[in-house]
Amino acid sequence: MEIKITTDMVLPAPKTLDQLKDDKLQELRDAFNSKSLRPRVDTGLGYYVDGSYADLRNFEIGQEFGLQFIKDADGADHPATAGDYDLVIAAIKQHGLDLYQWKWAKGQEIAACTTEAAINAVVI
């Protein structure tokens, strides 16, 4: 007695270049969101601070009300002048701008790709 087993596997169609670009752009969006959620930002004052938009707003409020300390990303307090607040706020804003520049440059790099290999070569 002979038993014959067959399987009818249907392989998905290969993705188009546009689909591959969309996948890479989603990877870029995910990486950007992860990096911007609660980044550690170098203040130039010898310590790092949390640098999300909410953190930026908190530092602006601290400066506005004349708080005389800054809490760093590790929870330590540092004495602070208005000038220190200026540096911290500027560092957070610059970090945010740098993230957007990185995102836009990578997006342009992905858009310019003409092959699957080129898309795969884009490092996110």
Side-chain angles (χ1 to χ4, degrees):
M1 176 174 184
E2 183 179 319
I3 299 176
K4 188 174 185 180
I5 299 175
T6 62
T7 59
D8 294 325
M9 289 183 52
V10 177
L11 297 175
K15 290 188 174 188
T16 67
L17 192 62
D18 285 339
Q19 289 170 323
L20 293 169
K21 285 182 179 183
D22 286 344
D23 290 349
K24 188 61 95 165
L25 287 170
Q26 184 60 51
E27 182 183 342
L28 175 61
R29 284 188 293 274
D30 292 345
F32 174 81
N33 290 338
S34 176
K35 289 174 185 255
S36 62
L37 183 61
R38 195 84 191 261
R40 288 175 56 97
V41 177
D42 186 351
T43 63
L45 297 169
Y47 53 87
Y48 288 78
V49 295
D50 293 324
S52 70
Y53 178 76
D55 296 312
L56 172 61
R57 188 67 192 119
N58 289 336
F59 285 116
E60 290 171 337
I61 291 169
Q63 182 183 42
E64 180 182 332
F65 285 97
L67 289 181
Q68 296 179 352
F69 69 92
I70 291 174
K71 190 170 289 289
D72 71 19
D74 297 318
D77 292 335
H78 300 272
T81 64
D84 294 338
Y85 272 99
D86 287 338
L87 288 173
V88 168
I89 290 166
I92 293 171
K93 287 179 178 179
Q94 185 62 55
H95 183 77
L97 290 173
D98 291 347
L99 279 175
Y100 273 105
Q101 290 287 43
W102 169 81
K103 178 183 176 185
W104 295 331
K106 288 294 179 180
Q108 290 174 343
E109 186 179 349
I110 294 164
C113 291
T114 58
T115 65
E116 181 177 352
I119 293 168
N120 291 336
V122 175
V123 178
I124 301 293

